[in-house]
């Protein structure tokens, strides 16, 4: 199977993470670049206790477990979970390989996201109506 085919079937961060050697340790700059995030986000996750990089002086060093944990945090965010919920889904283990999602948690999140979608659709319809009223020169309102 070609590298291009693998990338097409996986997210870029999944592909990159699969290429990480078991002993690779990277600094915060490379971590941000590799996972397409910001230094601020990484520091914020550390402050929240979601990531615990090894410290050498002022340097933050991310081992394979921290890199995989970031992927799971990112996955949780993409699924619409809050950082507090992600903290619970990850638990305290540093070597977790996937989010601890039960059928009930998944069902509850689907309901939550569907409600959000209805609210967003209503807000978009209202904004489009207001836009139309403001930009249509023939409008009486």
């Amino acid at each position: 199977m070609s590298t291009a085919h693998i990338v097409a079937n996986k997210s870029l961060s999944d592909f990159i993470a699969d290429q990480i050697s078991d002993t690779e340790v990277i600094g915060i700059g490379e971590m941000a670049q590799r996972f397409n995030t910001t230094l601020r986000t990484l520091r914020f996750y550390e402050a929240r206790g979601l990531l615990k990089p090894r410290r050498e002086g002022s340097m933050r060093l991310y081992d394979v477990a921290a890199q995989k944990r970031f992927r799971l945090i990112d996955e949780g965010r993409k699924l619409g979970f809050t950082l507090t919920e992600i903290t619970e889904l990850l638990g305290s283990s540093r070597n977790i390989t996937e989010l601890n999602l039960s059928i009930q948690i998944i069902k509850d999140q689907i309901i939550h996201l569907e409600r959000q979608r209805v609210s967003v659709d209503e807000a978009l319809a209202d904004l489009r109506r207001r836009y139309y009223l403001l930009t249509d020169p023939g409008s009486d309102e």
Side-chain angles (χ1 to χ4, degrees):
M1 187 177 288
S2 73
T3 302
H5 182 71
I6 293 169
V7 172
N9 291 322
K10 288 185 169 190
S11 73
L12 182 58
S13 63
D14 287 343
F15 177 75
I16 291 169
D18 289 344
Q19 305 307 308
I20 299 169
S21 74
D22 288 340
T23 59
E24 183 176 24
V25 176
I26 59 176
I28 191 169
E30 186 173 342
M31 180 79 169
Q33 184 177 28
R34 180 174 289 181
F35 293 100
N36 195 29
T37 192
T38 64
L39 301 177
R40 183 177 179 188
T41 296
L42 293 169
R43 289 183 191 113
F44 181 71
Y45 288 175
E46 181 181 357
R48 292 284 307 259
L50 284 160
L51 285 177
K52 295 176 181 131
R54 190 174 81 223
R55 299 294 293 256
E56 287 184 10
S58 63
M59 288 179 41
R60 291 171 169 86
L61 299 173
Y62 298 85
D63 61 12
V64 173
Q67 294 172 55
K68 289 179 180 180
R69 191 169 177 91
F70 178 84
R71 281 183 41 219
L72 292 174
I73 295 165
D74 193 44
E75 178 185 345
R77 296 288 293 163
K78 288 175 184 171
L79 293 174
F81 291 102
T82 66
L83 291 180
T84 300
E85 291 167 331
I86 292 168
T87 301
E88 293 170 12
L89 293 172
L90 289 172
S92 59
S93 174
R94 280 185 35 93
N95 294 319
I96 191 164
T97 58
E98 61 184 67
L99 295 173
N100 187 18
L101 296 172
S102 68
I103 290 173
Q104 189 60 50
I105 290 171
I106 293 169
K107 284 172 53 178
D108 290 346
Q109 188 66 1
I110 289 169
I111 291 166
H112 172 71
L113 291 174
E114 286 175 346
R115 285 185 185 141
Q116 278 186 330
R117 181 173 53 192
V118 168
S119 295
V120 167
D121 288 343
E122 289 170 355
L124 284 169
D126 187 40
L127 287 169
R128 287 185 180 113
R129 181 187 62 79
R130 291 170 189 246
Y131 177 82
Y132 175 76
L133 290 172
L134 291 171
T135 59
D136 182 21
S139 174
D140 291 335
E141 288 186 42

